[in-house]
Amino acid sequence: MSLVGREVEQARIQRLLANARDERSGVLGLRGAAGIGKSVLLQHAVSIAEEGGMRVVRGAGVESDSELAYGGLHHLLFPHLDRLDALPAPQARALRRAFGLSEGDDANRFLISAGTLSLLADLAEKAPLLCVIDDLQWLDQGSVEALLFAARRFVADPIAVLFAMRETAMPFDIAGVEVVDLPGLAAPDAARLLDEYAPELIEPVRTRVLAESGGNPLAIIELGSSRLAADDADESDPAGQVGPLPVTRRVQESFRHQIVGLPEPTQRALVVAAADLAAPLATILHVIESLGGAAGDLAPAERDRLVWIDSRITFRHPLVRAAAYQDAPLHRRIEVHRAYAEALRADADADRRAWHLAAATITPDEAVAAELEDAAERAWHRGGAMAVSAAYDRAGRLSADRELKARRIARASQAAFDAGKADRAARLAAEALALTTDPGIRAAAIYTRGAVEYERTSPRADAELTLEAAALVRDSDPERAALTLYEAAHAARHGAAHDLLERAAELMRGFTPPEHWAPVVAALLGWADLFAGRPELAVGPMRALHTTTRGGGNDLTHQITAGFGGLMIADDDSVVAGTEDMLGEVRANGALGWVPYTLNVLAVARLLRGEFADARACVAEGASVSDELGNTTENLAHRSVEVWLHAVSGDEARCRALAEEVLPRARARHRVNAEIAAWGLGMLDLSARRFGQACDQLEQVFRGPASRDLLVRAVPDLVEAAVRGGTPDRAHAPLAAFRHWAEHVDRPVATGLELRCRALLADDGDAEALYTGALRLHESHGGPYEHARTQLVYGEWLRRRRRRTEARAHLAAAVSAFERLGALLWAERARGELAAFGERGDEPQRSGPLTLLTPQELQVVRLAATGHTNKEIAAQLFLSPRTVGHHLYKAYPKLGVTGRAELTDLL
């Protein structure tokens, strides 16, 4: 097909390829109706790339393969599987498992995605690479996820990725990718194309073709050369009628008229070819012969250029295939699928055989349903969640037994949720619940509904549903009950729904969990005690869980419970160490879904320790991965922490703008982290000496639903705001609650904060001992930020007592620490104290070097400093080695170093 009228799109593709040759990766999507010219533009890109010496890998979605896990990815990468040994071993294993090349543990879909990235990056080592995927809308979801995951992470690689997808009734979402929508050709271009292909066409037929084609190039060509062009065109021909019939339907009707003019054996052979586009030629011919035909039956279709035949049969256009298959009578389609099922081997082609059997079955059939269930289980082991859902769903439809149908549809619902299809998951769960009274099946369906509601509505909605599920199976299925109670407790805690956490605790108190769940259940009961104001009962089991999970190797549910619990009881140092181990574990295992939750714990722990640059890196990655996974709630959790980080850096405009955007939604979805954002707003006012406003804001946090969670750590700011604002009475009740908590958590950082609060409220005779006691503790515990905060308030106290030398030493040290941390408003406040004491103070210094790095640069630098190679860093961060090198190259001058050997000493 000609490229008439596509100059703008050609130029955009040429820029994409030029950038790739200059080691600037890019990805572009082309979207439009069938026949609009997407495939022609892809071929144009391939021609330019090959002429320029680029390597090209090509793939395409096949409608009949859309339910086969990783079929599209296998087709794309199959010629290059000999390079798998060059990949990180876990990624190579995952790809082999996904493609059915090896047996072993279940394939992890995120490791498959990371392996796709690594393999494409490896292919680009010798020459720039163009990766082209046509008909993306028909690729199986696992393949789409893997390709998008890779495409979005290429930065400094010589790689261009080009997708083409059909405009569909339900928009095909490829978030994070620039998409060019292809319109119909402008009238002059449409006329030029028609004249090129049908110069003999006379009026008024020419005008009619142009009007009815809608500028669609395929329609112009096909209608211009079809019966519509004949003087005796049949006015009843839908392809030639004026009216609302869509352009693509007109073209399909044009192809149908060509097909019905072929001999009957040829029409039947085309149905066989259309029923399985990925089948090898030998299989197609075998099926044709089993139905009484012969290989020669395809010759008329080949002669008319409806198909091309080599090792496979390729239709000239998908609409030809649609016309051949959809217009065949039902009984013919059934006999074709049944013939395929008989022809395919039960071992090597079991999945394809199962789907052909399903297509040939219109009434319940347990034998066929069982084969589909087996296909679902194989897809589960290969990591294809959507393929699992599709197979279980169809198996449910073919189930004769109501309970079997309910169980299979419940499994389809869970797999749909795992695949990120929340609407489908909710619909299937509701259907399963309507089918059965079985407690186990109902609990599974309700659990999935809860997971959907966590994202759609709120953690509270999730907790309410999972409590219902837990009650159903508490006495009959302890393992499922423990997992469900864990989910309910975490959801209730995220939503600060302590009434629901208490209901979970009631279920746990009468429950004997499996042995490996016992420490988690005890710790979750500790959460309920803590939030009820009983830290003396809570701390022991919470700390015990943290002790048992140190060193990694534990279930991730246990580790994340220990992490969140550690934050609540001031075990900051242990939380950082344990959560870093967990993060390394989830990265190595490709458990990308756990990354946002792990980074949330780590971000807050680093924030509390004053490691703000590292906290920003955690937040940036956590928000990005959450967004990619469609995890809105966790994205808001991370962005709420970002509000706090903007507050401590003194970036008031960004802090308030982000808070205005995030807080209304975060309060409904993740109340604990929303309160962290609110704490940040109060701290922003405190650092800017707006003490009354700070006190008002922080009092709201103290009175809020998360005040006995880790938000108890905001009390020292409230005490300082109340004292400095001249309203010390407002500090007494919050401090009493804080002291009760600090006494029982018994950690140096908490004790130091308590001493600082008491010093702010104390008479002169007692204050100094309290200040110095707090300083001694904060020199070694709590991090540089809390130490600087204590130096600041002690320096202010000394200045007011005209102890100039001592005051200057503490205030100058505070200025220096705040500047290194990038806490610029705090540094300005301390510098103002020096000025008020008659000191000019040093000129503002630039922030510490780590604050100059982007979050991803900091992640890369941290790993490089510990001796990891670029390839190892790439595997951990799901990047390409070239992108890692790119970040290091940009980071070195910011840090004032020339190579990675200097990083260890610097950090």
Side-chain angles (χ1 to χ4, degrees), residues 105 110 138 142 193 197 365 428 439 520 542 557 651 686 746 769 832 843 864:
D105 296 335
F110 298 118
W138 285 334
L193 181 63
Y197 278 85
D365 187 317
L428 291 170
V520 177
M542 291 171 70
T557 57
D651 192 339
L686 179 61
D746 191 25
E843 290 299 313

Side-chain angles (χ1 to χ4, degrees), residues 446-458:
I446 293 168
Y447 185 91
T448 301
R449 284 184 61 201
V452 171
E453 288 304 309
Y454 185 94
E455 283 307 309
R456 276 184 170 176
T457 309
S458 68

Side-chain angles (χ1 to χ4, degrees), residues 30 51 73 110 177 187 213-214 225 250 291 295 345 348 384 402 423 426 436 506 620 652 686 715 731 777 790 858:
L30 303 176
E51 289 171 6
L73 193 65
F110 298 118
V177 174
S213 65
S225 59
R250 295 181 192 281
L291 294 171
R345 292 161 49 204
R402 187 180 178 91
D423 289 344
T436 184
E506 290 170 6
E652 183 154 6
L686 179 61
V715 166
L777 289 171
T790 303
L858 180 58

Side-chain angles (χ1 to χ4, degrees), residues 122-203:
D122 184 66
L123 289 172
E125 281 297 312
K126 296 288 179 66
L129 176 72
L130 170 63
C131 177
V132 172
I133 308 293
D134 202 357
D135 283 324
L136 188 71
Q137 79 282 350
W138 285 334
L139 220 60
D140 62 277
Q141 183 173 332
S143 297
V144 172
E145 285 180 352
L147 289 166
L148 289 175
F149 180 96
R152 286 190 288 250
R153 281 168 171 74
F154 293 128
V155 175
D157 298 85
I159 296 176
V161 182
L162 194 55
F163 297 122
M165 71 217 76
R166 186 179 291 188
E167 199 173 62
T168 55
M170 292 186 65
F172 188 81
D173 183 33
I174 50 173
V177 174
E178 178 189 355
V179 175
V180 174
D181 287 300
L182 300 180
L185 297 179
D189 293 323
R192 186 153 54 98
L193 181 63
L194 181 58
D195 291 342
E196 181 180 329
Y197 278 85
E200 75 290 347
L201 214 57
I202 62 171
E203 296 291 352

Side-chain angles (χ1 to χ4, degrees), residues 123-441:
L123 289 172
E125 281 297 312
K126 296 288 179 66
L129 176 72
L130 170 63
C131 177
V132 172
I133 308 293
D134 202 357
D135 283 324
L136 188 71
Q137 79 282 350
W138 285 334
L139 220 60
D140 62 277
Q141 183 173 332
S143 297
V144 172
E145 285 180 352
L147 289 166
L148 289 175
F149 180 96
R152 286 190 288 250
R153 281 168 171 74
F154 293 128
V155 175
D157 298 85
I159 296 176
V161 182
L162 194 55
F163 297 122
M165 71 217 76
R166 186 179 291 188
E167 199 173 62
T168 55
M170 292 186 65
F172 188 81
D173 183 33
I174 50 173
V177 174
E178 178 189 355
V179 175
V180 174
D181 287 300
L182 300 180
L185 297 179
D189 293 323
R192 186 153 54 98
L193 181 63
L194 181 58
D195 291 342
E196 181 180 329
Y197 278 85
E200 75 290 347
L201 214 57
I202 62 171
E203 296 291 352
V205 176
R206 181 178 182 277
T207 300
R208 187 169 159 194
V209 169
L210 290 173
E212 297 190 13
S213 65
N216 183 293
L218 181 66
I220 292 169
I221 294 168
E222 293 300 328
L223 298 182
S225 59
S226 72
R227 292 176 59 192
L228 183 60
D231 290 340
D232 60 347
D234 180 0
E235 291 299 326
S236 68
D237 177 1
Q241 292 173 5
V242 177
L245 201 61
V247 169
T248 52
R249 179 65 186 277
R250 295 181 192 281
V251 177
Q252 186 170 321
E253 286 295 322
S254 173
F255 288 137
R256 186 181 70 82
H257 278 291
Q258 295 179 57
I259 291 169
V260 298
L262 296 170
E264 196 279 336
T266 301
Q267 294 182 45
R268 183 177 58 198
L270 286 176
V271 177
V272 173
D276 194 334
L277 295 178
L281 181 60
T283 302
I284 293 174
L285 293 178
H286 176 82
V287 172
I288 290 172
E289 290 167 2
S290 74
L291 294 171
D297 293 345
L298 288 165
E302 190 175 22
R303 182 195 63 223
D304 289 356
R305 296 183 301 110
L306 291 170
V307 295
W308 292 284
I309 302 175
D310 45 34
S311 61
R312 286 188 178 351
I313 295 180
T314 304
F315 285 87
R316 183 167 104 217
H317 191 275
L319 292 178
V320 179
R321 182 259 175 191
Y325 184 82
Q326 292 171 7
D327 288 322
L330 176 62
H331 74 274
R332 175 163 290 175
R333 298 200 302 269
I334 288 174
E335 73 176 6
V336 165
H337 286 295
R338 188 170 290 126
Y340 265 114
E342 292 171 358
L344 293 169
R345 292 161 49 204
D347 52 355
D349 301 303
D351 291 350
R352 196 177 296 279
R353 169 186 157 82
W355 280 106
H356 278 295
L357 280 172
T361 306
I362 58 176
T363 58
D365 187 317
E366 182 54 36
V368 177
E371 289 210 31
L372 275 171
E373 182 166 0
D374 290 342
E377 288 301 308
R378 286 189 293 271
W380 186 273
H381 291 303
R382 292 198 298 272
M386 195 58 209
V388 173
S389 180
Y392 266 120
D393 187 8
R394 183 68 177 131
R397 308 299 158 198
L398 294 176
S399 300
D401 180 82
R402 187 180 178 91
E403 293 300 317
L404 273 177
K405 179 176 182 178
R407 181 179 62 79
R408 286 164 174 160
I409 289 177
R411 290 292 303 272
S413 172
Q414 178 61 58
F417 180 79
D418 292 341
K421 302 295 184 183
D423 289 344
R424 175 183 172 89
R427 174 177 57 78
L428 291 170
E431 185 176 355
L433 287 168
L435 287 168
T436 184
T437 59
D438 181 274
I441 300 173

Side-chain angles (χ1 to χ4, degrees), residues 566-591:
L567 293 176
M568 301 175 207
I569 56 174
D571 283 345
D572 305 341
D573 295 343
S574 296
V575 169
V576 168
T579 309
E580 283 184 331
D581 289 343
M582 181 182 176
L583 184 60
E585 186 178 341
V586 298
R587 290 194 194 283
N589 294 336

Side-chain angles (χ1 to χ4, degrees), residues 743-874:
E743 175 188 352
H744 291 288
V745 302
D746 191 25
R747 281 295 179 260
V749 60
T751 304
L753 289 170
E754 180 208 349
L755 292 174
R756 189 172 81 202
C757 290
R758 289 169 57 198
L760 283 162
L761 286 162
D763 295 332
D764 281 359
D766 298 323
E768 185 156 17
L770 294 169
Y771 277 128
T772 55
L775 271 178
R776 279 194 300 271
L777 289 171
H778 284 159
E779 282 173 1
S780 305
H781 304 280
Y785 174 66
E786 292 299 353
H787 187 217
R789 291 281 302 275
T790 303
Q791 286 179 310
L792 171 60
V793 292
Y794 184 36
E796 290 173 334
W797 185 86
L798 289 168
R799 183 185 71 78
R800 285 164 176 75
R801 279 135 196 89
R802 301 187 178 277
R803 291 163 59 176
R804 178 187 183 113
T805 301
E806 295 166 278
R808 188 187 192 290
H810 286 290
L811 292 170
V815 168
S816 179
F818 287 138
E819 287 179 336
R820 284 195 307 274
L821 294 169
L824 302 184
L825 270 181
W826 285 107
E828 187 59 33
R829 176 174 154 182
R831 195 177 291 107
E833 286 292 319
L834 287 171
F837 203 27
E839 296 281 345
R840 284 185 56 198
D842 297 329
E843 290 299 313
Q845 302 296 310
R846 79 171 193 171
S847 299
L850 295 185
T851 65
L852 304 177
L853 302 180
T854 68
Q856 195 148 82
E857 287 168 2
L858 180 58
Q859 285 181 304
V860 169
V861 163
R862 286 280 190 203
L863 290 169
T866 58
H868 288 83
T869 66
N870 284 11
K871 189 172 182 178
E872 291 168 340
I873 297 169

